[in-house]
Each structure stands twice: as C-alpha cells, then as structure tokens.
Amino acid sequence: QKRSQDGHIMVTPKQVSETLNVPSSTIRRWALRFEDVLSKQVGKKRVYTLEDVDIFRKIRDYSKQGR
C-alpha cells in the first residue's frame, strides 16, 4: 500500500473497484461527478484515501437504493 506524504494510506482506482465490486468505469464516473467531496488529485496518477473509499461506498449504496 502506498502512503501520501502526510501518512495517509492511498489506494488505486483498481483497488477501489475491487474492494467495492464496482466496475472501474463507474469509479471514474463517480470521481468526476463527486470530485468536490473527494481528496484532491496530486500528480498524474489518481489515488484515493481510505476516506474516499468510504465516500465511494456510500455512493454505491445510495445508487443501489435508487437515490
């Protein structure tokens, strides 16, 4: 696992996809739609914090409920 400069664990979009059992394309779409509540991208490759994974989990759960 990668860590940011401030010590946060960082995960790749693929890891988010596998963790939440959601296609990578869906993660990318949600990342664009909800970019204002996700951590800011640093550098060229997008990585997410564990807090971001929790946000994606909520988005997934709300989507399943039709919200």
Side-chain angles (χ1 to χ4, degrees):
Q1 291 177 340
K2 294 175 103 176
R3 288 190 180 265
S4 65
Q5 289 181 345
D6 57 1
H8 287 96
I9 294 174
M10 306 301 287
V11 295
T12 65
K14 181 178 180 181
Q15 290 171 315
V16 176
S17 171
E18 291 171 351
T19 299
L20 300 181
N21 198 28
V22 173
S24 294
S25 59
T26 300
I27 297 299
R28 286 192 300 272
R29 187 174 66 248
W30 289 346
L32 290 172
R33 184 169 180 193
F34 297 99
E35 66 183 337
D36 56 328
V37 295
L38 296 169
S39 64
K40 302 299 178 209
Q41 181 173 342
V42 178
K44 292 183 180 184
K45 292 190 176 186
R46 185 58 162 117
V47 289
Y48 298 102
T49 64
L50 295 181
E51 290 82 7
D52 292 334
V53 176
D54 287 337
I55 291 169
F56 282 125
R57 184 175 287 111
K58 289 176 185 175
I59 294 167
R60 180 201 61 192
D61 293 347
Y62 286 143
S63 296
K64 283 183 179 179
Q65 295 173 11
R67 293 186 182 184

